[in-house]
Amino acid sequence: MTGLSTTSIVNDDRSIKIPEEIIKKAGLNPGVEVIWVYDEETAQIILMEKPKDFVQALRGLGKELWKNSNDYVKKERDSWE
């Protein structure tokens, strides 16, 4: 992983202050909604800005998986004959 790294403390009320450097680097502004994700596999917490439009934000995700799909489909269909 590359990028900025810093630390915060979880307060008694379980609140966390996001460091100013991270706020600036991420371009977060007051009032912006964020999403917290806990990755069970890596035991990591991910914080990201909530997209205004999830469809637009996810558009094209996984497109590399379909790059050679025509070749695969043709190979499979040819094996049926």
Side-chain angles (χ1 to χ4, degrees), residues 1 6 8 11 14 16 20 23 25 27 30-31 37 39 42 45 48 50 52 54-56 60-61 65 67-68 73:
M1 183 187 319
T6 187
S8 291
N11 296 317
R14 295 195 173 121
I16 300 172
E20 189 66 30
I23 296 277
K25 191 82 168 170
V37 178
D39 186 328
T42 62
I45 298 169
M48 66 185 109
K50 180 181 174 186
K52 291 173 182 57
F54 278 95
V55 173
Q56 190 64 28
L61 187 65
L65 297 173
K67 236 179 198 174
N68 299 317
V73 170

Side-chain angles (χ1 to χ4, degrees), residues 4-65:
L4 183 60
S5 177
T6 187
T7 61
S8 291
I9 295 173
V10 178
N11 296 317
D12 291 337
D13 66 353
R14 295 195 173 121
S15 65
I16 300 172
K17 182 179 180 205
I18 303 170
E20 189 66 30
E21 311 91 78
I22 300 290
I23 296 277
K24 286 180 181 176
K25 191 82 168 170
L28 297 174
N29 294 310
V32 166
E33 281 189 87
V34 293
I35 299 172
W36 294 85
V37 178
Y38 180 73
D39 186 328
E40 297 274 348
E41 197 170 304
T42 62
Q44 292 181 331
I45 298 169
I46 301 165
L47 174 70
M48 66 185 109
E49 183 175 352
K50 180 181 174 186
K52 291 173 182 57
D53 181 347
F54 278 95
V55 173
Q56 190 64 28
L58 298 174
R59 185 174 186 204
L61 187 65
K63 66 182 174 185
E64 67 278 354
L65 297 173

